[in-house]
């Protein structure tokens, strides 16, 4: 027969393709790998230890001190400061509000960003990169400036209210600032570029051929989405959710400005305690609660992704 | 002839106005149970054609008719086609059995029947023991067979294969050819098979459609396409070819059905014999001689046209020569049992006149 000119592509490695171990030799090279790993990781780890771990330990230590009414810090070792917010129903409510705000902002943000990220990933338009740049362009402006923008738009005489009143849809301006509504609207918009970026980078796994294969096997568009698109994009969706949740419960500027002092979440309470009342130990205790909240949510996230076998 | 299983009528796809169409007024009829290869170089429109038949792409013009029924405007999920993709496109979040069951699930088949049919489909590709495995852990050949089972389990109106073998290594590709062909014949599934590999097409297909520039250059049985190519493109794309300019001198009578033997004049070779369609006397045509039909004589006293050996490639089964005759190099493939010539040797080339074919005049394009 005549010669074929096609190029052989190696088949995907399966479990049985892995080379057998080489005993001592393998052991030695693995030890060398480990040494290289530590050598390369050391500068970064040292930097993190100095700039992150030490201050964190200092903060945790601070939570065991006692703040005195005159603003002085009593160096001691007590559980009183940590226990105080746990016995005060006000701080339980603040913690719960913080948690709920994080969930609501993350949920709305992810739901709005998901179709955009999906569209941007799939687009074959020549304007694709321009569209992506536009989607993340808000990051070029500081969150403070954007927050002031939202205060203007959402205010009593702002764009939204004046439009609604001109159209006769409302007679009294809606209260959209200085409350949780304003904070949620502002945070959702400010975090959308992050959600879009995280999801787009995670959608790489979504091969359009998979959706075509499902359609050819008789799946209607809705079934293709429910059985193929959504399950395959769920990991990226969950990572975006986690990121936005963490960013919103720790956000301070937007919460403070759009909340106008009427929204009390852990971040604003910590700020008030630390700078207003100069009660550093109590601010540290609230920070520890916030950290625990992070920890709980990350643990839930890990369990969920592992349960769903989505980690691959 | 009865109604064809599939008929493409003036099928056209133009991706952008102003640009040359990817598929240009393509007409083709496929008989029930046949495996038809769409063969051509990349960009010839073969995959576009397949995707239009699958319903994954809308034609710009023309019709797709299956069993006499126009399905051009029926959406992909209601066409009942079974498609196998080049990348297999197995669903990574489902195990092997769930992948195969997907089409049956979409058809809302009862669970017991679903399980039974999945089992039978996996047995057919001899991978029943992998039912509960994750698809990522499978080798390329296994993934390929699962994809085939997934497409066949729904008893598709047409089986559509898009370069199904090109991601496999050479050895596996060859055994999969036979396996796909056997399964196709056992199920009787009418199949469209896209490939750029002429060996694959010759080996597996009942009919080959050789495509070039959005058009079918020739549609016929493998031997017909190989022995009696309609155009220069087909002659060169399928197998290796010596193409010579021949002036037809005289008609020497009939040769088989519908063909005549001719005396022709070929630069460098002088007067030689060839066969071709009737009525070619006096015309100039391209003459095709396949390299393995060229006889190479090392004995200087032998008949034939003298030429100088430029290169020799020994493959064990045969020896390939490049021989310069006049100002052009010709290819020859000889058995290894005789004397093997060396580069620089003068050899004589000739061939049985019945194996030199005068191509029909090419249409203006």
């Amino acid at each position: 027969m005549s010669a074929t000119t096609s190029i052989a592509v190696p088949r995907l490695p399966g479990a049985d393709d892995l080379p057998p171990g080489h005993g001592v030799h393998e052991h030695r090279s693995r030890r060398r790998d480990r040494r290289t790993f530590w050598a390369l990781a050391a500068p970064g780890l040292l930097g993190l230890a100095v700039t992150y771990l030490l201050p964190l330990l200092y903060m945790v230590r601070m939570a065991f001190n006692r703040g005195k009414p005159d603003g002085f810090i009593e160096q001691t070792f007590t559980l009183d400061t940590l226990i105080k917010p746990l016995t005060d129903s006000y701080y339980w409510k603040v913690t719960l509000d913080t948690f709920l705000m994080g969930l609501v902002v993350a949920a709305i943000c992810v739901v709005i960003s998901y179709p955009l990220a999906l569209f941007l990933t799939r687009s074959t338009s020549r304007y694709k990169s321009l569209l992506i740049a536009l989607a993340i362009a808000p990051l070029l402006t500081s969150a403070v400036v954007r927050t002031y923008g939202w205060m203007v738009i959402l205010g009593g005489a702002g764009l939204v209210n004046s439009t609604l009143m001109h159209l006769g849809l409302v007679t009294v301006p809606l209260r959209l600032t200085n409350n949780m509504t304003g904070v949620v609207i502002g945070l959702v918009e400010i975090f959308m570029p992050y959600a879009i970026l995280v999801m787009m980078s995670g959608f790489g796994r979504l091969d359009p051929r998979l959706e075509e294969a499902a359609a050819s096997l008789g799946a209607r568009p809705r079934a293709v989405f429910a059985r193929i698109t959504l399950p395959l994009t769920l990991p990226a969706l969950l990572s975006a959710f986690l990121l936005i949740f963490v960013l919103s419960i720790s956000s301070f500027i937007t919460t403070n400005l759009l909340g106008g002092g009427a929204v009390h979440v852990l971040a604003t309470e910590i700020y008030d305690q630390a700078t207003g009342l100069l009660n550093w130990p109590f601010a540290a205790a609230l920070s520890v609660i916030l950290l625990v909240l992070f920890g709980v949510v990350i643990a839930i996230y890990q369990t969920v992704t592992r349960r769903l076998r989505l980690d691959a | 002839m009865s109604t064809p299983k599939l008929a493409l009528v003036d099928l056209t796809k133009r991706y952008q106005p102003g640009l040359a169409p990817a598929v240009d007024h393509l007409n083709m009829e496929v008989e029930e149970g046949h495996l038809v290869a769409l063969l051509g170089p990349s960009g010839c429109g073969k995959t576009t054609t397949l995707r239009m038949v699958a319903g994954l792409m809308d034609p710009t013009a023309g019709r797709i008719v299956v069993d006499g029924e126009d399905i051009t405007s029926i959406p992909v999920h209601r066409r009942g086609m079974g498609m196998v993709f080049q990348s297999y496109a197995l669903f990574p979040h489902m195990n092997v059995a769930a992948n195969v069951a997907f089409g049956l699930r979409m058809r809302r088949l009862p669970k017991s029947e679903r399980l039974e049919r999945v089992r039978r489909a996996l047995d057919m590709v001899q991978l029943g023991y992998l039912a509960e495995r994750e698809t990522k852990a499978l080798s390329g050949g296994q993934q390929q067979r699962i994809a085939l089972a997934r497409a066949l389990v729904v008893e598709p109106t047409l089986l559509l294969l898009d370069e199904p073998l090109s991601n496999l290594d050479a050895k596996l590709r060859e055994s999969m050819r036979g396996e796909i062909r056997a399964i196709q014949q056992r199920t009787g599934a009418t199949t469209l098979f896209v490939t750029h590999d002429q060996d694959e097409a010759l080996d597996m297909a009942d009919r080959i459609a050789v495509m070039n520039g959005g058009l079918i250059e020739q549609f016929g049985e493998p031997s017909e396409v190989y022995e009696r190519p309609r155009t220069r493109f087909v002659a060169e794309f399928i197998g290796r070819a010596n193409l010579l300019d021949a002036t037809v001198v005289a008609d020497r009578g009939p040769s088989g059905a519908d063909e005549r033997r001719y005396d022709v004049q070929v630069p460098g070779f002088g007067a030689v014999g060839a066969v071709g369609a009737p009525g070619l006397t006096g015309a100039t045509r391209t003459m095709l001689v396949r390299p393995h039909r060229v006889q190479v004589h090392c004995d200087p006293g032998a008949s034939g046209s003298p030429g100088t050996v430029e290169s020799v490639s020994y493959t064990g089964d045969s020896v390939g020569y490049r021989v310069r005759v006049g100002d052009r190099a010709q290819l020859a493939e000889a058995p290894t049992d005789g004397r093997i010539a060396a580069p620089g040797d003068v050899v004589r080339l000739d061939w049985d006149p019945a194996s030199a074919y005068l191509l029909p005049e090419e249409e203006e394009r």
Side-chain angles (χ1 to χ4, degrees):
Chain A
M1 257 341 279
S2 55
T4 50
T5 49
S6 44
I7 297 156
V9 176
R11 72 193 176 105
L12 299 169
D16 49 356
D17 294 331
L18 293 172
H22 296 293
V24 178
H25 184 73
E26 184 198 26
H27 193 72
R28 204 177 286 162
S29 78
R30 211 179 262 176
R31 201 186 307 165
R32 192 170 38 204
D33 283 350
R34 203 169 303 163
R35 226 178 287 160
T36 316
F37 167 78
W38 284 111
L40 288 172
L45 288 175
L46 200 69
L48 274 178
V50 172
T51 61
Y52 180 72
L53 193 61
L54 285 181
L56 188 72
L57 290 175
Y58 182 70
M59 184 197 83
V60 173
R61 172 69 189 87
M62 181 63 78
F64 291 98
N65 288 335
R66 190 178 287 135
K68 293 203 286 197
D70 54 9
F72 282 99
I73 298 166
E74 185 190 334
Q75 290 287 342
T76 172
F77 200 87
T78 172
L79 283 173
D80 292 355
T81 318
L82 267 171
I83 284 170
K84 196 179 132 200
L86 297 177
T87 53
D88 188 335
S89 64
Y90 173 75
Y91 289 104
W92 277 104
K93 189 180 177 310
V94 166
T95 307
L96 187 69
D97 282 353
T98 308
F99 187 72
L100 288 179
M101 182 189 77
L103 287 188
V104 170
V105 169
I108 298 177
C109 196
V110 162
V111 166
I112 296 179
S113 305
Y114 182 74
L116 285 174
L118 213 50
F119 169 78
L120 288 173
T121 309
R122 284 181 181 163
S123 167
T124 50
S125 157
R126 61 178 137 161
Y127 300 115
K128 182 173 175 169
S129 15
L130 181 70
L131 291 173
I132 293 174
L134 279 177
I136 59 176
L139 291 179
L140 297 173
T141 316
S142 117
V144 181
V145 175
R146 283 196 281 155
T147 302
Y148 276 114
W150 276 112
M151 288 166 76
V152 172
I153 293 170
L154 297 174
L159 191 67
V160 173
N161 271 317
S162 57
T163 307
L164 289 176
M165 282 166 73
H166 269 295
L167 294 172
L169 293 172
V170 295
T171 45
V172 184
L174 297 175
R175 268 179 46 88
L176 296 174
T177 51
N178 301 338
N179 59 10
M180 196 53 111
T181 315
V183 173
V184 170
I185 292 174
L187 287 179
V188 164
E189 188 273 334
I190 283 164
F191 293 144
M192 267 178 64
Y194 297 104
I196 292 174
L197 277 181
V198 167
M199 285 197 256
M200 280 184 69
S201 68
F203 287 173
R205 239 155 68 88
L206 186 66
D207 177 358
R209 297 275 174 275
L210 298 175
E211 293 166 312
E212 291 181 352
S216 78
L217 287 166
R220 296 157 179 282
R222 202 181 297 174
V224 172
F225 178 77
R227 291 178 180 274
I228 308 296
T229 318
L230 188 60
L232 289 175
T233 51
L234 203 53
L237 202 146
L238 287 176
S239 326
F241 186 93
L242 179 73
L243 176 73
I244 305 307
F245 176 85
V246 169
L247 286 175
S248 23
I249 66 175
S250 57
S251 83
F252 166 71
I253 297 167
T254 306
T255 319
N256 199 33
L257 290 177
L258 275 166
V263 171
H264 300 281
V265 289
L266 284 172
T268 55
E269 289 304 306
I270 293 167
Y271 178 80
D272 289 346
Q273 290 292 336
T275 64
L277 304 171
L278 291 178
N279 191 343
W280 283 27
F282 195 63
L286 292 177
S287 303
V288 170
I289 294 178
L290 194 58
L291 266 182
V292 170
L293 207 57
F294 283 151
V296 168
V297 169
I298 288 173
I300 294 174
Y301 167 82
Q302 297 242 322
T303 321
V304 168
T305 49
R306 210 167 291 160
R307 217 25 90 67
L308 293 172
R309 291 186 311 168
L310 296 169
D311 262 336
Chain B
M1 195 178 116
S2 58
T3 340
K5 183 73 185 172
L6 168 72
L8 305 180
V9 184
D10 284 331
L11 196 65
T12 302
K13 178 69 188 182
R14 199 181 280 275
Y15 285 106
Q16 265 176 45
L19 242 66
V23 174
D24 192 2
H25 292 90
L26 188 137
N27 286 283
M28 182 166 81
E29 290 191 350
V30 178
E31 263 178 66
E32 172 99 54
H34 269 188
L35 188 155
V36 171
L38 296 175
L39 173 67
S42 56
C44 72
K46 57 193 193 296
T47 296
T48 304
T49 305
L50 192 80
R51 291 174 64 81
M52 286 192 284
V53 174
L56 295 171
M57 195 179 264
D58 291 327
T60 313
R63 288 183 297 133
I64 299 160
V65 182
V66 171
D67 292 323
E69 190 195 337
D70 188 336
I71 62 156
T72 318
S73 55
I74 291 182
V76 48
H77 64 271
R78 283 182 26 223
R79 287 200 185 180
M81 306 280 178
M83 182 134 179
V84 174
F85 294 82
Q86 186 172 356
S87 56
Y88 319 133
L90 295 180
F91 307 131
H93 55 306
M94 299 180 195
N95 69 14
V96 167
N99 262 280
V100 177
F102 190 86
L104 303 175
R105 212 176 250 282
M106 291 300 113
R107 284 163 176 73
R108 300 185 193 287
L109 252 66
K111 193 174 180 194
S112 55
E113 190 184 344
R114 214 163 65 208
L115 292 175
E116 174 56 24
R117 280 173 69 172
V118 168
R119 196 187 57 75
R120 265 189 288 145
L122 285 174
D123 283 348
M124 180 180 64
V125 295
Q126 290 156 25
L127 292 179
Y129 64 101
L130 292 179
E132 300 307 317
R133 289 275 196 90
E134 295 301 312
T135 55
K136 313 179 201 58
L138 304 181
S139 71
Q142 289 170 335
Q143 292 194 26
Q144 156 67 228
R145 281 184 282 172
I146 300 297
L148 196 61
R150 184 178 68 177
L152 282 169
V153 76
V154 299
E155 291 169 2
T157 34
L158 289 171
L159 179 62
L160 308 174
L161 308 174
D162 185 9
E163 303 249 6
L165 301 179
S166 55
N167 279 2
L168 302 175
D169 63 52
K171 229 178 191 161
L172 195 56
R173 200 179 315 164
E174 237 159 86
S175 70
M176 278 307 291
R177 269 189 209 169
E179 197 167 328
I180 290 181
R181 179 61 167 153
I183 290 171
Q184 185 265 334
Q185 285 181 329
R186 217 175 325 137
T187 55
T190 311
T191 304
L192 269 188
F193 181 107
V194 163
T195 180
H196 62 266
D197 184 330
Q198 33 119 354
D199 286 344
E200 239 165 69
L202 290 171
D203 185 7
M204 296 171 67
D206 293 300
R207 296 285 185 278
I208 297 178
V210 184
M211 292 186 67
N212 183 29
L215 294 165
I216 293 184
E217 295 248 342
Q218 188 168 3
F219 185 59
E221 290 176 35
S223 61
E224 189 185 334
V225 172
Y226 184 78
E227 301 284 357
R228 293 293 179 260
R230 264 197 345 106
T231 65
R232 234 186 133 89
F233 174 83
V234 174
E236 282 182 312
F237 193 77
I238 306 231
R240 290 180 308 150
N242 292 307
L243 295 171
L244 303 144
D245 301 322
T247 309
V248 183
V249 178
D251 189 330
R252 300 296 297 272
S255 160
D258 312 328
E259 284 186 354
R260 316 279 300 177
R261 283 189 299 119
Y262 294 102
D263 282 341
V264 299
Q265 194 69 36
V266 177
F269 287 89
V272 289
V275 296
L280 294 181
T281 314
T284 309
R285 286 289 181 273
T286 300
M287 187 176 80
L288 162 72
V289 186
R290 295 288 180 192
H292 67 276
R293 297 275 163 74
V294 176
Q295 281 155 23
V296 181
H297 305 289
C298 299
D299 174 11
S303 63
S305 312
T308 314
V309 175
E310 285 192 334
S311 67
V312 180
S313 74
Y314 178 84
T315 63
D317 293 336
S318 62
V319 199
Y321 294 108
R322 262 180 86 88
V323 181
R324 180 158 294 277
V325 179
D327 55 355
R328 287 174 65 183
Q330 306 298 338
L331 302 174
E333 205 177 293
T336 49
D337 48 2
R339 211 190 108 199
I340 294 171
D345 287 3
V346 172
V347 293
R348 285 173 180 275
L349 303 182
D350 71 351
W351 52 82
D352 176 357
S355 57
Y357 177 66
L358 298 164
L359 300 187
E361 191 168 35
E362 288 190 32
E363 293 166 43
E364 280 301 316
R365 302 186 47 187

